[in-house]
């Protein structure tokens, strides 16, 4: 089989740490094109990977040189770039959050259907080993009825991670639309939907800018979530966890408590009500911290879905449902009411 020709649009940190090296390591693809509005940056990346450099994403999409693109742009461009690529007959892997509105997300899903192309959203938390095992335990009934949960994703902020540091688009509302909730919170709404196997239907949220100066995007959010079966829990997303990243989830069930990514040695700890404790040593979560970086499995899953013509594990509809929780949280914060996720 001939290799899939890949283009990566946006050459910031997420592309350089995740997409580019993971495509380069995949036997089924050839990395042929890269695009970024910063000319020096795109030339450097193009040289490193032996790819052609573009500074205009529309030129890359229309070039006829790629079959597949990764969209690694600022949030406000996710939908326009993805739709342009899908309408030009390309498969699309889009970074999260997939869009900045329900209308944009719907338009992306429609473009994928109309053109019969794959659309996947890069929610990597589903592929973390502890999360996969936790889902299996919950599905098997090992926890009995699920009562509650709490999940958090926080770190000191994107200035330590983004290629542009404090000048990053993450801090510009017109480009980011949402701050920590879009950067980190959407990962956790997707994770909870995946782990619990049901939809989140109501959200109450407090969303503030407390830690970062000179920006109007949120940096700290705490939400109360309710699922369709009545499970309630909390979600925190923050750029104000100043000393250490927190990427933990705890699920409280009738027969056991699951602690995910909450212990430095054991990425999954199961505490049963009979006193038994089972520790699973499954390797570190994907992280920006030293020692945490390994494959996210996102690119491999996406490529496999194209090669084998199967549905991507996190398709447009899945991405949209996880985004919808974030949009409801924003609405809750603005209206000071409990917001329904799907009106």
């Amino acid at each position: 089989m001939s290799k899939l020709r890949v283009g990566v649009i946006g050459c910031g940190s997420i592309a350089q740490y995740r997409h580019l090296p993971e495509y380069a390591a995949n036997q089924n693809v050839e990395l042929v094109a890269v695009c970024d509005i910063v000319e020096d940056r795109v030339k450097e990346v193009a040289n490193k990977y032996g790819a052609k450099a573009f500074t205009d994403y529309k030129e890359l999409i229309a070039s006829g040189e790629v079959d597949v693109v990764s969209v690694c742009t600022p949030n406000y461009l996710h939908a326009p770039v993805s739709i342009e690529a899908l309408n030009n007959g390309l498969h699309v892997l889009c970074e999260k959050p997939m869009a900045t509105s329900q209308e944009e997300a719907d338009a992306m899903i429609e473009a994928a259907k109309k053109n019969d192309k794959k659309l996947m959203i890069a929610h990597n938390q589903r592929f973390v080993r502890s999360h996969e095992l936790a889902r299996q335990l919950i599905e098997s009934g090992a926890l009995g009825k699920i009562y509650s949960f709490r999940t958090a994703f926080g770190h000191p902020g994107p200035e330590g991670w983004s290629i542009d540091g404090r000048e990053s688009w993450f801090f510009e509302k017109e480009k980011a639309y949402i701050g920590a909730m879009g950067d980190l919170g959407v990962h956790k709404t997707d994770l909870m939907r995946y782990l619990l196997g049901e939809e989140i239907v109501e959200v109450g949220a407090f969303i503030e800018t407390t830690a970062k100066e000179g920006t109007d995007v949120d940096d700290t959010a705490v939400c109360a979530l309710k699922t369709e079966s009545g499970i309630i829990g909390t979600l925190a997303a923050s750029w104000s966890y100043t000393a250490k990243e927190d990427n933990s989830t705890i699920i409280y069930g009738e027969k056991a408590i699951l602690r995910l990514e909450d212990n430095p040695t054991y990425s999954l700890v199961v505490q049963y009500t009979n006193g038994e404790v089972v520790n699973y040593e499954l390797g570190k979560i994907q992280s920006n911290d030293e020692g945490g970086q390994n494959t996210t499995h996102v690119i491999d899953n996406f490529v496999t879905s194209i090669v084998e013509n199967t549905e991507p594990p996190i398709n447009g509809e899945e991405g949209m449902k996880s985004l919808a929780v974030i949009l409801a949280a924003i609405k809750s914060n603005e209206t000071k009411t409990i917001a329904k996720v799907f009106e």
Side-chain angles (χ1 to χ4, degrees), residues 77 98 192 229 232 271 335:
L77 289 171
M98 71 181 287
M192 295 319 302
S229 75
I232 54 172
Q271 301 166 313
T335 61

Side-chain angles (χ1 to χ4, degrees), residues 188-320:
K188 292 303 185 181
T189 63
D190 189 73
L191 176 63
M192 295 319 302
R193 292 181 51 251
Y194 168 76
L195 289 177
L196 300 174
E198 55 182 278
E199 296 305 328
I200 295 159
V201 294
E202 289 183 282
V203 185
F206 291 99
I207 303 174
E208 297 290 340
T209 305
T210 54
K212 306 296 179 190
E213 293 179 1
T215 182
D216 51 0
V217 297
D218 57 282
D219 60 31
T220 302
V222 177
C223 310
L225 309 176
K226 184 178 181 181
T227 73
E228 53 194 328
S229 75
I231 303 167
I232 54 172
T234 59
L235 179 155
S238 184
W239 290 340
S240 61
Y241 292 11
T242 53
K244 191 174 185 295
E245 181 172 295
D246 183 3
N247 206 337
S248 64
T249 300
I250 301 175
I251 298 174
Y252 303 93
E254 174 190 5
K255 299 175 185 174
I257 293 171
L258 293 187
R259 296 184 178 274
L260 301 153
E261 306 301 334
D262 189 46
N263 180 299
T265 307
Y266 303 111
S267 53
L268 173 60
V269 176
V270 187
Q271 301 166 313
Y272 290 95
T273 51
N274 65 6
E276 183 190 356
V277 177
V278 182
N279 296 314
Y280 294 88
E281 200 168 350
L282 302 166
K284 286 193 176 182
I285 195 168
Q286 307 123 10
S287 156
N288 307 331
D289 293 342
E290 195 63 40
Q293 172 54 33
N294 51 26
T295 176
T296 62
H297 304 290
V298 168
I299 273 75
D300 290 347
N301 274 280
F302 175 56
V303 171
T304 298
S305 75
I306 299 169
V307 171
E308 297 181 358
N309 195 23
T310 54
E311 193 64 23
I314 307 158
N315 60 16
E317 285 86 351
E318 283 293 296
M320 180 270 290

Side-chain angles (χ1 to χ4, degrees), residues 77-230:
L77 289 171
H78 285 178
V81 176
S82 295
I83 291 166
E84 178 96 7
L86 290 162
N87 285 339
N88 275 268
L90 307 181
H91 301 288
V92 172
L93 173 62
C94 181
E95 264 303 324
K96 54 75 209 165
M98 71 181 287
T100 60
S101 70
Q102 182 70 51
E103 293 73 22
E104 281 188 338
D106 289 341
M108 290 167 71
I109 293 164
E110 182 55 36
K113 280 185 181 155
K114 184 180 76 178
N115 296 291
D116 194 25
K117 294 296 165 189
K118 309 293 182 192
L119 170 62
M120 180 164 154
I121 313 305
H123 285 294
N124 58 16
Q125 295 240 338
R126 293 194 188 199
F127 307 120
V128 173
R129 192 69 196 95
S130 60
H131 297 163
E132 291 175 330
L133 190 51
R135 179 181 160 113
Q136 290 168 18
L137 288 168
I138 292 167
E139 273 185 331
S140 74
L143 273 72
K145 185 179 180 183
I146 305 299
Y147 297 138
S148 183
F149 63 86
R150 68 175 175 84
T151 189
F153 198 174
H155 57 48
E159 60 267 53
W161 153 251
S162 172
I163 203 159
D164 295 314
R166 192 58 181 80
E167 304 304 308
S168 170
W169 60 266
F170 277 104
F171 296 105
E172 297 178 44
K173 190 151 194 169
E174 61 275 14
K175 293 182 180 178
Y177 177 62
I178 30 183
M181 278 295 277
D183 181 29
L184 306 176
V186 74
H187 269 311
K188 292 303 185 181
T189 63
D190 189 73
L191 176 63
M192 295 319 302
R193 292 181 51 251
Y194 168 76
L195 289 177
L196 300 174
E198 55 182 278
E199 296 305 328
I200 295 159
V201 294
E202 289 183 282
V203 185
F206 291 99
I207 303 174
E208 297 290 340
T209 305
T210 54
K212 306 296 179 190
E213 293 179 1
T215 182
D216 51 0
V217 297
D218 57 282
D219 60 31
T220 302
V222 177
C223 310
L225 309 176
K226 184 178 181 181
T227 73
E228 53 194 328
S229 75

Side-chain angles (χ1 to χ4, degrees), residues 40-68:
D40 289 350
R41 182 185 299 160
V42 76
K43 281 182 175 172
E44 188 180 326
V45 170
N47 287 338
K48 181 176 178 180
Y49 288 98
K52 186 173 177 180
F54 290 82
T55 52
D56 182 339
Y57 75 84
K58 291 187 177 180
E59 281 184 24
L60 186 156
I61 286 168
S63 68
E65 294 181 29
V66 297
D67 309 300
V68 175

